[in-house]
Amino acid sequence: MLIDFRGYAAGFIVSGRVDLTADRLTDQLNRDASLELADVTLESLVDGRTVTIDQLVLEPRELFAAKALGPRGDVAQRIVTVEHRLQAQIGPYNVLGRLHAEPGLSAMESVLRRWPMIPLTEATIAYVIGGVLEVRDGGTIIINRELATWVRDPEADEQTLATTAVLAAAR
């Protein structure tokens, strides 16, 4: 099934269509070594200039974040979770959203136990494009823990900050 896709990379934002071959985009980003996009638009963070191309192959590990636009997954497979607020700085992007963790796990424990691409619901992403701060509510935004400078629970004390060194040790 073709779905709309938005990815946040080092110097640009990429939009296009991707063939969803997993139950959820998060699953596909964690499973596949590459994504083939069609009808692609690249938007430069430096000046906002756009370029349109027919196709592009991306490696999910190169993405700082992605916008989940596909199905939410099978309702029957959902488990009971506890929501935690989570904030992450990933390259030029700052993301704030809700992490759904197993009961009994702190937000940081959950982040460190997961696959690299982690979905945050009710998320907001902020970045500078063409010298202007953009703040966008994004529904579900999938963050790449492996490229994060830091991740923290903004509602907890300073001890919950996970820095690059801690995140790297989890790899």
Side-chain angles (χ1 to χ4, degrees), residues 63-141:
L63 292 172
F64 291 112
K67 172 87 170 89
L69 300 167
R72 292 188 58 212
D74 185 354
V75 175
Q77 292 185 342
R78 294 195 187 140
I79 60 171
V80 175
T81 60
V82 175
E83 287 186 9
H84 298 275
R85 294 287 284 163
L86 193 76
Q87 184 178 14
Q89 183 67 45
I90 312 162
Y93 307 99
N94 191 280
V95 181
L96 178 67
R98 297 195 178 280
L99 173 75
H100 296 259
E102 290 180 46
L105 288 182
S106 72
M108 290 305 105
E109 288 171 323
S110 181
V111 165
L112 296 173
R113 288 184 181 192
R114 292 177 181 232
W115 289 98
M117 301 302 274
I118 301 171
L120 301 179
T121 61
E122 298 175 34
T124 300
I125 188 166
Y127 53 92
V128 175
I129 185 164
V132 176
L133 176 64
E134 289 286 332
V135 179
R136 304 215 176 214
D137 291 328
T140 299
I141 296 176

Side-chain angles (χ1 to χ4, degrees), residues 133-155:
L133 176 64
E134 289 286 332
V135 179
R136 304 215 176 214
D137 291 328
T140 299
I141 296 176
I142 302 162
I143 63 170
N144 186 342
R145 178 197 69 215
E146 291 185 334
L147 296 181
T149 304
W150 52 259
V151 175
R152 73 183 185 103
D153 177 344
E155 296 173 352

Side-chain angles (χ1 to χ4, degrees), residues 44-64:
S44 169
L45 292 179
V46 173
D47 58 13
R49 191 171 29 132
T50 61
V51 174
T52 303
I53 56 177
D54 292 335
Q55 294 182 308
L56 178 68
V57 176
L58 281 176
E59 293 182 22
R61 65 189 175 119
E62 295 176 336
L63 292 172
F64 291 112

